[in-house]
Amino acid sequence: MKRAGKLFEKIISDENLLLAIEEVNSSHRWNRYPDKPNKRTLWVEATKYERVKELRQIITGGFKPSPCLEKRRYDPNAGKWRNIWEPRLWPDQYIHHALIQVLEPVMMRGMDRWCCGSIKNRGAHYGIRRIKKWLREDKSGTRWCAELDIRRFYESVKPEVVMRRFRRLVKDRRALDLLERIIADGIKIGFYTSQWLMNTLLQPLDVLIRQTGIKHYIRYMDNFTLFSNRKKSIDKAIVLVDEWLRGEGLELKSNWQKFKTDKRPPNALGYRYKRNFVMLRKHSFLRLKRQLRSYYRIQGKRRPVSLKMAQGLLSRLGMLRHCNSAFIYKKYVRKGTQAALKAVVRRCFRKEHKAWSMYLEQLNAAA
């Protein structure tokens, strides 16, 4: 594969920097606590053409990342605490987006077809539909299954390992220098760049797994799900993954699983799969019941429902669309629940949009 060149000029172009500003502003317009527009985003939006020039000067002058804010949050899906780093909004997040927008076509050239997670149009449901189809239509090819994971993936990856991979894809020294500056302190969870870099780092491993005789294979970030008609192919793939990871300074989690698909349902992407039946994971089902109980209690007392609760519960209910959930709807979800929750979200966003427009007009008038 030929290395990509002349990327730095694209990174600092007006079109790319304007697009980065629009992308970041679209998701950072509002501060929940306190509940008001983000002043920094308002300032960038009102003076975006001046900010484009300033961003170009910062990048060409040798961008130095600002100290980021570290937070500790509990991940209910994984059942553990995570350290999340939040980069400064200006100028760091705008530069991260500007870089990835240009590198994305380069990274997608070698991306495995069933690599999903943190990639446009390749979310969890992209993989769920494919696993369902494999199990339903290829019984012999999905006789055996393996579930693998990488231990402390983000924390274990060294910047020099990522740079070695990107030097095989990119020959523009200034673009590589910008990337190296961003990841100098490590690959941090919470950075927009991190998810793309990790998927790109594992591309050679995806190719090797395909060559072991594995019939079907899907990867969601650092979670691997493999299907094969032979146990030997599964064993060979597990040994290969372990050796490759050790060569990159990473480690395969010791709790990997290998089993016959007909004796035990595979567990991936939030669901458990049988041949013609898909179940919600137990802990996801329990959290859904708790959230529904809290919502109906608040509704019964005629108290206002918060935007956070409405969005969270809508997300949980949306998971039911991708599994066999007729019994859950019948027993636990009252009629009109989703319509009422959507009305809460719609009302809040209309209010925010109106307030945002008013603040932006005031800022433009003052300028």
Side-chain angles (χ1 to χ4, degrees), residues 207-330:
V207 175
L208 291 175
I209 290 174
R210 293 286 182 192
Q211 296 171 354
T212 60
I214 292 297
K215 187 74 173 178
H216 302 294
Y217 162 63
I218 195 165
R219 175 170 63 81
Y220 188 86
M221 292 303 297
D222 62 335
N223 294 283
F224 305 78
T225 306
L226 299 82
F227 295 98
S228 181
N229 56 346
R230 296 188 305 156
K231 183 180 176 182
K232 286 184 178 180
S233 298
I234 293 287
D235 293 333
K236 183 179 178 181
I238 293 172
V239 172
L240 184 146
V241 170
D242 187 43
E243 290 177 352
W244 190 92
L245 291 175
R246 289 182 185 278
E248 300 295 333
L250 302 171
E251 182 182 349
L252 183 67
K253 265 190 181 179
S254 59
N255 62 348
W256 56 267
Q257 305 288 323
K258 177 184 67 178
F259 50 89
K260 280 189 174 182
T261 309
D262 289 333
K263 291 186 177 180
R264 170 182 159 187
N267 190 340
L269 304 174
Y271 301 89
R272 301 180 70 199
Y273 306 84
K274 292 188 177 181
R275 294 292 179 188
N276 294 295
F277 192 85
V278 180
M279 301 172 288
L280 195 64
R281 279 179 177 168
K282 183 178 179 180
H283 63 268
S284 299
F285 174 57
L286 291 175
R287 285 200 294 272
L288 172 62
K289 288 203 302 182
R290 293 191 192 107
Q291 284 184 288
L292 283 169
R293 193 160 52 241
S294 299
Y295 169 68
Y296 292 138
R297 189 184 304 120
I298 291 172
Q299 195 180 44
K301 294 179 180 178
R302 298 184 180 279
R303 289 163 49 191
V305 178
S306 68
L307 176 63
K308 183 178 180 180
M309 171 177 274
Q311 289 178 320
L313 192 47
L314 278 172
S315 178
R316 294 279 178 205
L317 291 172
M319 294 181 69
L320 299 180
R321 296 175 56 192
H322 303 276
C323 65
N324 298 78
S325 55
F327 172 76
I328 298 175
Y329 271 111
K330 184 177 180 180

Side-chain angles (χ1 to χ4, degrees), residues 158-170 173 175-181 183 187 197 201:
K158 297 179 180 179
E160 52 266 29
V161 174
V162 177
M163 291 308 303
R164 185 168 66 244
R165 170 63 182 155
F166 271 86
R167 287 190 186 102
R168 296 177 64 88
L169 300 175
V170 177
R173 293 184 179 180
L176 289 170
D177 177 67
L178 178 59
L179 174 60
E180 192 168 15
R181 289 172 181 270
I183 66 172
I187 315 300
L197 301 183
L201 177 65

Side-chain angles (χ1 to χ4, degrees), residues 22-39:
E22 291 172 4
E23 287 289 325
V24 177
N25 287 357
S26 64
S27 58
H28 291 79
R29 288 181 174 177
W30 208 261
N31 288 325
R32 296 291 170 206
Y33 307 101
D35 194 22
K36 59 175 64 175
N38 187 312
K39 292 183 179 180

Side-chain angles (χ1 to χ4, degrees), residues 67-102:
C68 52
L69 180 64
E70 182 180 357
K71 297 180 180 179
R72 190 167 174 81
R73 296 177 183 172
Y74 183 73
D75 183 355
N77 294 315
K80 60 184 178 182
W81 289 90
R82 294 188 186 275
N83 293 325
I84 308 295
W85 283 268
E86 182 180 348
R88 185 176 292 179
L89 182 61
W90 175 266
D92 296 55
Q93 292 194 37
Y94 295 94
I95 293 176
H96 293 179
H97 276 73
L99 175 64
I100 294 300
Q101 284 166 185
V102 173

